Every structure is written in C-alpha cells, then in structure tokens.
C-alpha cells in the first residue's frame, strides 16, 4: 500500500474520541508515517498506564467549559473534598449516547455522574474543542509559525454508528471551530486496518515505537485477495469490519460494519453492581451522590486492578485473590444503621469468597473474572455468527485492536473460540486506531468500496395508480394532477456494494411561488420492502436547502442535485443549471 500523502495541507491531526479515553496524533505531509502521539497526559495523584486522557468534561455552574481529562477529574475531586461540587457538572462515558440513538437531535440531552442534564451537542463540542486546542498548542510548541489552517483534522467514530451520529460529531467539530472542508470522519476499525497494513510488514526487527509482536502483521494480510476481520474492542463498543486486500493495495469492505455495546465499561458496571449486592442499592446511591471524590478514587483503583486480571491457571497470576482499596466512607455509610460490613459480606451471595477489612476488599479472582465474561461472551458469540455467513468463508485472520483487546481474558477467549483462525493482537493496540486515522487523513481513498448498512431514498409524488397505490395516499397536486404521496424512491439498497464516489443525480425544479430554494430530504430504511416514507422503520435522515439561481422562470431555477455515496459520510452536491454554480454540503441531522 502506497503511503504517499494526498493531503493538500501541511499535516494531518487525528483525534480518537473514545468512550473511556481520548487522544490525538499527527504527522506531516512530507513524512506521513512519522506519527507523533501525545504522551504527556498526567493523571495527578494516581498513576494510570494510559497513553490517552479520560474522556471527561468538567462544566462550571454557569454551564461553561472548565477542564478535560485528568484535570477535570482531579479538580472535581478537589471541589468535592471542599463540599463545593454540587453545582458543577462532570460528564464521563458520554460517547455512548450516540450508539444507536434513533432519536438523536440537536436537542438531545445527556446526564452527568449526578444525573443532571445538559445538551449533548454542547458537551461533545467542548471535548472536541479541547482536543483540537491541545493538538494545536503541541504543534505550535514544535513549530511556532504553524496555524490551524495548516491542519487537516480527522475524527474517529465507530463504524456501527448510523449517519445521524456521524453528522452529530461533524456538527460538534464545526461548533468547535473546525471548517467543514478541513475535517474528515474516519471509521475506527477501518483506520486500524490501514495501520495494520503497514506495521511489521516485511521486516525482521521492530522500528521505533513498534512491539516485537507487531513483526509480520502487515505480511499476514498483505496478499491480494486476503480477507480479514478487524474487531475494535473499546470502552463502549465492539466494532467489527471485514476487509479484502486488492491488487492495487487498496481495501474493499466485504461485509457491512456490525457490533454492539460490549466494551470495557461493561466490566465497570458489573463491579459497581457487585458492590451494590453487598451494601445495598440505597447505600450505593448515597455514596455516588455524596462522596464524589471517593467514587472517582474507587473507579481509578478498579481501572488499575482490572488490567492485572489474568485467565485462571495463568502462571503470571500471583494470587487467587484480588485486593481492592475501597474508600472508608462507603463502609461508614453502610454502618450508620448499626450493621457490620463484615457480616453483610458473609451474608451476601458472595459470602466465603469476599472479605472486607477496613479499607481493603479481598475478592476471589473468579468473581472479578466473571465481571468480564458478559461483554466477552457476547462479542465472541456475535463473531461466531458472523463467521458462519457464506460471504465470510474465506476469513482466516482476525485482528484484535482497541484498549479492551489488551485484556488477557479477552485474548484468551478469542484464541480458544477461534483456534482455527490466525488471531493477531498488535502491540499498543489502544493506539492502532489513532495512528490509522492519521494515515486515513493522508490517503482517504485507500478504502475503495463499502457495503450499505441501510437503504437510502427520497420522498416523491408519482401519478396515482389505483391498482397499486392505497387510497389513503391519494392526493391532488398543485397543477391538479392526481398523485400518490409519500412514495419512497430508493437510491441505494441495503447490502448493496457502493464504490467510493458513487453518485445519483436528478434535475429538480421549484414549485410555483418558491423563492427560498429547493428542500432536499433523505430517508433511510433497514427493510427491503419499504414503499412509503411513512412505513415503519423508515426514518428522515436529514434535510438540505439548495439556493436557487436568479431568474424569471422556473426553468431558470433548475437545480441538479447529486447524492454521493460510499464514503464515511453522505455528501450532497448541487449545481444551479443556469449558472453552473456548485454547492457542496453534508446533511444536517433533524
């Protein structure tokens, strides 16, 4: 695969916006493979093994941005210790609001860790703005004369997100000061696939920043016709794509993106549910509401501990018990009613396998392992079903990437379940998407075709045919013609292979008296039998208004509209037929 940049700006800066952690990387057009990642995130009082910052946003009582990442967590802890946090907002893991959010709009709200709400678009904008500014500052420290206009930005999103979620991220980036033409949206597993094409390819020794385990990854998927599955296991989701290597070095998508909410944050939820089993829901709710500083310390403690959990029987496991430091305040809250936490542990369903002494919780390692089994088993089951599809008979290699893929329990489960496949886990797999996103910014046309996850069409009126059309769809148009309204005119069918740049064009004329422009509405459906835009499952994706040319007649104001499919986002181009003036835009979600 050629690595020469086609970017027309000085450099590419990519932002990997994750459910749990976020980061950025960049490289210059002249040396696209020399990727610079930020490794200066400082955790404060706790040392966490992360090359990214937590995806946390702290908002002031006046609903203005204060800080991001470790700084946000640490300041909130300080505020909580002084009892001054009650009017502040701390948002964590908020990316998941965009996962399968069918009702996503500009007005969608999200809740902070106390259940208080703010508009989602505001919080996403704050996060993107912080990462953008941090990237620009790091760039300016290296090369003082650089400007924002020198950078082409790339933001990563899960491939399983629908079009509205992608549009939402683009809007957040625009609100953060990034121009439309200065921004690309990259699909996370696709970005990972691009990077894995290169690492270790035809080399016997690792280069700087490359792990020994990376040697030969590029060679394993380098042969023309090789089909391989990329499984991106992050904090929130498992995101899966399948690619095939082409003769010209590019990649084509073999199967539409798929996946589900089986990321690492499910382990955290299971841990909190485990504590609730012991102290009760009421005490746990009181703890999360009143002891914010201790809650964040507990979550950071568990983040460290869960990374050390190994499969049962693993020789590297030093103990069959896991010791977790638990804030004393949780024990004190429980014992206010005269109960003993030690006795409560003994009487719980975990009795005999858990002990609680002071601020130490000693837990049978099998209990901790059980926290992982639900998301791991769901992901494995889903992959097993995928590999049974006829289209995937030739998939013999699986790439496991993402932060959750670094977990040894995850790796063991996939190696055992798919022992006939070649399982590859790149070193520092949590950075694979980020580095691949930089490459995508340099060469976005490396992916040549994709499989449509849904059908796309527009609403039209056609001549009414009583033998075909239902009576309730009958209407009279402005010129007196009897028409059938709300007809779904399909452009792309679900499951259809769409090459990059696939274009559908139509000539439209404004209705009599129209002076503001043509309104173009696009609908999606996951059913092949959709006939009308009012059918169940057919949704309005978005609208776009195309300005009209100046003229006295309707013909003067004709517009040729072209929908461009196949890329990570839908694009509409409109040309005023009379003037030849072009307009290019992305759909705005409703």
């Amino acid at each position: 695969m050629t690595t020469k940049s086609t970017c027309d700006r000085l450099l590419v800066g990519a932002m990997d916006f994750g459910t749990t952690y976020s980061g950025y990387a960049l490289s210059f057009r002249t040396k696209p493979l020399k990727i610079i990642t930020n490794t200066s995130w400082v955790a404060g009082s706790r040392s966490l093994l992360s090359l990214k910052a937590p995806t946390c946003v702290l908002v002031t009582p006046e609903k203005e941005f204060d800080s991001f990442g470790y700084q946000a967590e640490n300041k909130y802890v300080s505020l909580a210790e002084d009892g001054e946090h009650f009017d502040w907002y701390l948002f964590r893991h908020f990316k998941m609001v965009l996962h399968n959010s069918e009702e996503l709009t500009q007005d969608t709200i999200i809740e902070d860790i106390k259940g208080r709400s703010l508009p989602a678009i505001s919080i996403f904008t704050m996060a993107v703005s912080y990462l953008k500014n941090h990237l620009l500052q790091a760039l300016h420290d290296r090369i003082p004369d650089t400007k924002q206009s020198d950078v082409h930005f790339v933001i990563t999103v899960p491939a399983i997100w629908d079009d509205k979620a992608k549009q939402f991220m683009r809007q957040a980036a625009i609100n953060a000061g990034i121009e439309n033409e200065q921004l690309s949206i990259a699909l996370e597993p696709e970005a990972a696939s691009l990077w894995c094409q290169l690492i270790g390819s035809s080399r016997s020794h690792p280069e700087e920043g490359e792990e020994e385990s990376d040697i030969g990854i590029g060679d394993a998927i380098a042969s023309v016709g090789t089909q391989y599955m990329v499984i991106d296991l992050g904090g929130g989701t498992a995101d899966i794509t399948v690619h095939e290597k082409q003769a010209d070095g590019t990649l084509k998508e073999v199967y539409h993106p798929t996946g589900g909410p089986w990321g690492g944050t499910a382990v955290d939820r299971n841990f909190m549910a485990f504590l609730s089993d012991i102290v009760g829901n009421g005490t746990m709710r009181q703890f999360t509401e009143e002891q914010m500083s201790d809650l964040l310390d507990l979550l950071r403690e568990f983040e460290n501990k869960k990374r050390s959990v190994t499969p049962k029987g693993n020789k590297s496991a030093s103990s069959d018990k896991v010791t977790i430091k638990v804030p004393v305040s949780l024990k004190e809250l429980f014992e206010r009613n005269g109960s003993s936490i030690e006795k409560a542990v003994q009487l719980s369903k975990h009795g005999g396998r858990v002990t609680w002494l002071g601020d130490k919780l000693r837990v049978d390692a099998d209990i901790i392992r059980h926290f992982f089994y639900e998301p791991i088993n769901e992901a494995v089951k889903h992959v097993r079903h995928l590999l049974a599809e006829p289209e995937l008979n030739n998939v013999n290699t699986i790439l496991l990437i993402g932060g959750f893929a670094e977990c040894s329990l995850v790796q063991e489960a996939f190696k055992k379940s798919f022992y006939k496949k070649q399982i590859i886990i790149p070193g520092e797999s949590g950075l694979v998407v980020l580095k691949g996103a930089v490459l995508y910014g340099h060469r976005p046309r490396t992916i040549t075709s994709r499989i449509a996850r849904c059908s796309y069409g527009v609403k039209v009126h056609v001549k009414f045919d009583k033998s075909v059309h239902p009576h309730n769809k009958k209407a009279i148009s402005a010129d007196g013609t009897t028409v059938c309204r709300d007809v779904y005119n399909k452009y792309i069918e679900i499951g259809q292979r769409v090459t990059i740049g696939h274009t559908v064009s139509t000539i439209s004329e404004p209705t009599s008296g129209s002076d503001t422009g043509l309104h173009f509405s696009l609908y999606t459906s996951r059913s092949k039998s959709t006939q009308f835009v009012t059918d169940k499952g057919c949704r309005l994706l978005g609208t776009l208004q195309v300005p009209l040319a100046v003229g006295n007649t309707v013909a003067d104001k004709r517009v040729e509209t072209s929908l461009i499919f196949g890329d990570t986002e839908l694009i509409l181009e409109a040309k005023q037929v009379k003037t030849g003036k072009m307009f290019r835009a992305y759909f705005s979600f409703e």
Side-chain angles (χ1 to χ4, degrees):
M1 182 177 73
T2 179
T3 55
K4 184 178 179 180
S5 178
T6 61
C7 180
D8 59 1
R9 297 181 188 267
L10 179 64
L11 71 151
V12 171
M15 294 177 275
D16 182 12
F17 190 90
T19 300
T20 309
Y21 291 99
S22 296
Y24 64 82
L26 56 90
S27 73
F28 290 84
R29 181 178 59 209
T30 53
K31 295 182 179 180
L33 293 184
K34 190 176 181 180
I35 296 175
I36 303 165
T37 57
N38 179 65
T39 57
S40 62
W41 306 112
V42 179
S45 61
R46 293 294 182 92
S47 176
L48 293 179
L49 301 175
S50 174
L51 295 175
K52 300 179 184 177
T55 308
C56 299
V57 174
L58 181 63
V59 180
T60 70
E62 294 74 32
K63 301 178 182 178
E64 297 178 350
F65 174 78
D66 181 87
S67 49
F68 180 89
Y70 291 116
Q71 288 181 325
E73 289 186 344
N74 293 335
K75 182 166 182 177
Y76 194 79
V77 166
S78 179
L79 289 166
E81 289 173 345
D82 294 333
E84 298 176 354
H85 67 292
F86 297 104
D87 294 330
W88 291 70
Y89 302 79
L90 184 68
F91 292 89
R92 304 173 76 248
H93 300 170
F94 51 88
K95 180 183 174 182
M96 285 299 288
V97 74
L98 302 189
H99 176 65
N100 288 339
S101 181
E102 294 188 356
E103 305 304 321
L104 184 67
T105 70
Q106 290 267 20
D107 300 321
T108 295
I109 61 173
I110 54 175
E111 295 183 348
D112 77 342
I113 61 175
K114 299 192 301 294
R116 303 171 67 216
S117 301
L118 286 179
I121 191 67
S122 297
I123 306 307
F124 279 83
T125 297
M126 291 175 185
V128 174
S129 182
Y130 175 85
L131 289 174
K132 179 202 75 172
N133 292 336
H134 204 289
L135 184 156
L136 291 174
Q137 184 59 54
L139 178 62
H140 189 264
D141 290 343
R142 287 173 174 265
I143 308 175
D145 293 336
T146 51
K147 307 178 294 296
Q148 179 171 320
S149 58
D150 293 325
V151 185
H152 183 82
F153 292 94
V154 178
I155 294 180
T156 64
V157 302
I160 56 175
W161 273 9
D162 64 14
D163 293 285
K164 280 197 173 186
K166 296 172 189 174
Q167 292 164 359
F168 187 98
M169 284 301 300
R170 175 170 286 276
Q171 187 60 53
I174 292 171
N175 293 351
I178 300 175
E179 299 292 334
N180 240 330
E181 64 274 9
Q182 199 179 359
L183 174 68
S184 296
I185 301 294
L187 306 184
E188 290 166 359
E190 284 190 357
S193 185
L194 296 182
W195 182 248
C196 289
Q197 291 286 318
L198 298 176
I199 57 175
S201 179
S202 299
R203 294 199 296 268
S204 58
H205 299 286
E207 292 189 349
E208 182 179 354
E210 196 172 54
E211 302 287 335
E212 288 285 351
S213 58
D214 290 338
I215 298 303
I217 292 179
D219 292 332
I221 55 178
S223 301
V224 175
T226 297
Q227 293 184 355
Y228 59 95
M229 179 179 288
V230 182
I231 305 176
D232 182 5
L233 295 167
T237 59
D239 200 18
I240 305 166
T241 59
V242 181
H243 288 152
E244 179 180 309
K245 189 67 173 285
Q246 303 297 288
D248 60 359
T250 61
L251 305 172
K252 77 172 183 179
E253 193 174 80
V254 178
Y255 197 83
H256 65 79
T258 182
W262 312 311
T265 53
V267 181
D268 300 340
R269 291 194 299 271
N270 291 336
F271 170 63
M272 297 300 284
F274 158 77
L275 289 178
S276 293
D277 287 342
I278 296 175
V279 302
N281 292 331
T283 298
M284 203 65 200
R285 188 180 309 111
Q286 189 177 7
F287 173 71
T288 57
E289 291 174 354
E290 298 178 4
Q291 304 295 329
M292 285 297 166
S293 173
D294 287 347
L295 173 62
L296 290 174
D297 272 347
L298 176 61
L299 293 173
R300 286 184 176 182
E301 168 76 5
F302 184 65
E303 180 68 25
N304 267 331
K305 293 297 182 181
K306 77 179 186 182
R307 297 184 184 198
S308 63
V309 177
T310 57
K312 192 170 185 178
N314 191 304
K315 293 181 180 180
S316 65
S318 59
S319 173
D320 289 330
K321 295 283 186 180
V322 177
T323 301
I324 301 172
K325 186 176 181 180
V326 182
V328 174
S329 60
L330 180 56
K331 177 181 178 181
E332 291 175 344
L333 282 173
F334 177 80
E335 293 184 339
R336 280 181 181 177
N337 60 5
S339 302
S340 164
I341 191 68
E342 290 82 4
K343 188 173 182 180
V345 170
Q346 293 173 1
L347 294 176
S348 75
K349 64 181 182 181
H350 307 293
R353 305 174 69 195
V354 176
T355 56
W356 193 323
L357 295 173
D359 64 347
K360 299 293 192 302
L361 188 63
R362 291 273 288 167
V363 186
D364 190 313
D366 278 342
I367 292 178
I368 303 296
R369 293 185 187 105
H370 187 74
F371 299 160
F372 291 78
Y373 291 156
E374 177 193 355
I376 291 174
N377 290 342
E378 288 297 319
V380 166
K381 182 170 66 174
H382 186 75
V383 172
R384 187 176 289 117
H385 289 160
L386 283 179
L387 291 173
E389 295 287 342
E391 303 99 306
L392 305 185
N393 284 341
N394 294 325
V395 174
N396 294 312
T397 301
I398 296 175
L399 299 180
L400 283 181
I401 57 99
F404 196 32
E406 295 177 346
C407 170
S408 58
L409 294 175
V410 170
Q411 296 175 10
E412 181 193 53
F414 273 87
K415 288 176 180 178
K416 284 186 175 180
S417 299
F418 308 106
Y419 62 91
K420 292 185 178 180
K421 308 293 183 182
Q422 182 181 25
I423 307 294
I424 297 176
I425 304 105
E428 289 189 346
S429 60
L431 292 178
V432 169
V433 167
L434 185 55
K435 292 180 177 180
V438 176
L439 291 185
Y440 179 83
H442 286 291
R443 294 196 61 82
R445 294 307 186 198
T446 307
I447 309 293
T448 57
S449 67
R450 296 181 174 90
I451 306 296
R453 296 182 62 226
C454 58
S455 65
Y456 296 88
V458 296
K459 179 173 70 172
V460 298
H461 293 171
V462 299
K463 185 177 180 180
F464 187 80
D465 183 342
K466 65 180 181 180
S467 66
V468 177
H469 301 135
H471 182 74
N472 65 348
K473 293 295 183 183
K474 185 177 180 181
I476 305 299
S477 68
D479 62 2
T481 305
T482 303
V483 297
C484 180
R485 57 187 174 85
D486 298 332
V487 174
Y488 180 60
N489 183 27
K490 193 181 302 181
Y491 283 172
I492 297 291
E493 178 66 272
I494 184 172
Q496 179 179 337
R497 176 171 298 283
V498 185
T499 56
I500 303 303
H502 178 82
T503 302
V504 179
S505 300
T506 58
I507 298 289
S508 303
E509 296 180 350
T511 58
S512 178
S514 173
D515 57 1
T516 59
L518 284 171
H519 293 270
F520 195 91
S521 299
L522 187 68
Y523 291 80
T524 65
S525 175
R526 294 189 181 276
S527 171
K528 291 187 175 182
S529 60
T530 300
Q531 295 179 290
F532 302 97
V533 297
T534 53
D535 287 353
K536 184 178 180 180
C538 190
R539 296 192 300 141
L540 177 64
L541 173 61
T543 60
L544 188 117
Q545 182 170 301
V546 181
L548 300 176
V550 176
N552 298 319
T553 67
V554 170
D556 287 334
K557 299 181 179 181
R558 285 186 181 134
V559 174
E560 180 182 19
T561 54
S562 300
L563 270 173
I564 304 173
F565 295 90
D567 214 331
T568 55
E569 300 172 274
L570 290 171
I571 302 172
L572 182 135
E573 284 187 344
K575 181 175 72 174
Q576 295 172 340
V577 175
K578 178 182 178 181
T579 65
K581 188 175 182 180
M582 296 291 297
F583 299 88
R584 184 179 176 93
Y586 296 85
F587 274 87
S588 60
F589 61 90
E590 295 300 305

